[in-house]
């Protein structure tokens, strides 16, 4: 099978722009599904036509190469693609728990999340029923690895918000061991967390696509 293309990294989406709306900073700022203000930048909402039901957590987990709980250490700049497609937003994550796969937890790791600001089009692109996590949030990430080992997240249910405000160390925005334990103990009671964990036992691969390993896998 050929290497994952841009579309296959996005769970083989057919992109359809369904609405474009402009929000001025002096008016009402647009919001994404995380509730964070988008400011003065125009936002384009995109519907993804998926080849499987991404709301079925058994399928979402089964299609993912890595599922993990992570603290969002840094939300970086958006990155445009050579083919002029949807931009990616670059993240630095601190993995607190591996649910599926075995990513390193001893250092921050990068992730590319589809969606973000295009300098060419002057629009923020965001998938319908999706959001771009902010720094200091605790999320479950359901991700795929590219052939080069890069981690990607894309579309609805590719990240699930568990905690909106995580207390971080001011020096490097990571969590120390005590803070990590406190957060993990807290999310065990979260029904969204439990739904993902339960899906690990009943997961199935809905596409049969080729799977790859991340370059940030422990003991690679």
């Amino acid at each position: 099978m050929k290497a994952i293309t841009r579309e296959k990294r996005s769970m083989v989406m057919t992109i359809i722009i369904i609405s474009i709306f402009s929000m001025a900073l002096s008016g009402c700022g647009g919001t994404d599904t995380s509730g964070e203000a988008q400011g003065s930048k125009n936002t384009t909402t995109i519907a993804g036509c998926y080849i499987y039901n991404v709301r079925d957590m058994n399928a979402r987990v089964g299609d993912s190469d890595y599922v993990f709980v992570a603290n969002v250490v840094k939300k970086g700049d958006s990155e445009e693609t050579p083919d002029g497609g949807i931009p990616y937003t670059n993240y630095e994550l601190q993995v607190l728990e591996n649910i599926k796969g075995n990513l390193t937890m001893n250092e921050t790791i990068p992730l590319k999340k589809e969606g973000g600001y295009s300098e060419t089009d002057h629009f923020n692109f965001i998938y319908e029923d999706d959001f771009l996590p902010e720094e200091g949030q605790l999320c479950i990430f359901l991700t795929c690895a590219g052939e080069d080992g890069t981690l990607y997240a894309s579309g609805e249910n590719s990240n699930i918000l568990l905690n909106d405000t995580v207390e971080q160390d001011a020096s490097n925005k990571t969590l120390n061991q005590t803070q990590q334990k406190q957060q993990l103990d807290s999310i065990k009671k979260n029904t969204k967390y439990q739904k993902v964990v339960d899906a690990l036992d009943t997961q199935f691969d809905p596409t049969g696509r080729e799977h790859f390993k991340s370059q940030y896998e422990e003991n690679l």
Side-chain angles (χ1 to χ4, degrees):
M1 185 178 291
K2 293 181 179 179
I4 288 181
T5 63
R6 173 176 171 74
E7 290 75 21
K8 288 187 178 179
R9 286 201 305 261
S10 307
M11 277 58 71
V12 197
M13 294 178 189
T14 302
I15 309 303
I16 305 172
I17 297 181
I18 61 169
S19 62
I20 300 178
F21 54 95
S22 300
M23 299 293 183
L25 184 61
S26 58
C28 56
T31 58
D32 61 24
T33 55
S34 70
E36 293 295 331
Q38 300 272 358
S40 61
K41 294 178 180 177
N42 299 329
T43 298
T44 299
T45 303
I46 302 168
C49 291
Y50 305 92
I51 63 172
Y52 71 91
N53 182 8
V54 295
R55 296 184 180 181
D56 181 343
M57 197 53 65
N58 300 313
R60 202 38 153 147
V61 171
D63 181 68
S64 300
D65 298 320
Y66 298 91
V67 181
F68 54 93
V69 177
N71 163 40
V72 180
V73 175
K74 181 180 179 181
K75 180 181 181 182
D77 294 333
S78 297
E79 175 185 333
E80 305 221 27
T81 59
D83 60 3
I86 307 305
Y88 286 101
T89 299
N90 291 296
Y91 284 92
E92 292 291 332
L93 305 177
Q94 178 187 17
V95 178
L96 306 188
E97 180 183 57
N98 285 298
I99 297 174
K100 178 179 179 179
N102 190 32
L103 296 171
T104 181
M105 295 189 290
N106 299 319
E107 57 188 52
T108 58
I109 63 172
L111 171 98
K112 292 184 180 295
K113 166 75 178 182
E114 197 165 26
Y117 185 71
S118 168
E119 292 287 351
T120 301
D121 299 312
H122 305 293
F123 275 103
N124 267 317
F125 289 91
I126 185 74
Y127 282 109
E128 189 177 29
D129 297 320
D130 189 21
F131 71 98
L132 295 173
E134 299 294 330
E135 293 177 9
Q137 291 182 335
L138 194 71
C139 298
I140 297 177
F141 289 86
L142 298 96
T143 66
C144 295
E147 188 174 10
D148 63 353
T150 301
L151 280 177
Y152 295 94
S154 181
E156 182 180 352
N157 271 338
S158 61
N159 39 246
I160 299 170
L161 183 64
L162 296 177
N163 194 332
D164 198 40
T165 52
V166 176
E167 183 179 350
Q168 302 170 313
D169 286 344
S171 58
N172 57 15
K173 296 185 179 180
T174 59
L175 304 181
N176 60 39
Q177 289 186 345
T178 300
Q179 292 169 327
Q180 290 182 52
K181 185 178 185 306
Q182 289 172 343
Q183 290 299 325
L184 290 173
D185 287 345
S186 175
I187 65 170
K188 303 295 184 184
K189 307 168 187 176
N190 190 305
T191 56
K192 292 183 289 185
Y193 168 85
Q194 197 57 54
K195 184 177 180 179
V196 175
V197 171
D198 290 346
L200 193 64
D201 294 329
T202 51
Q203 65 178 308
F204 63 91
D205 189 341
T207 66
R209 68 173 180 84
E210 187 173 4
H211 293 263
F212 298 100
K213 287 185 177 293
S214 168
Q215 59 182 295
Y216 307 104
E217 187 168 322
E218 194 77 66
N219 301 321
L220 188 63

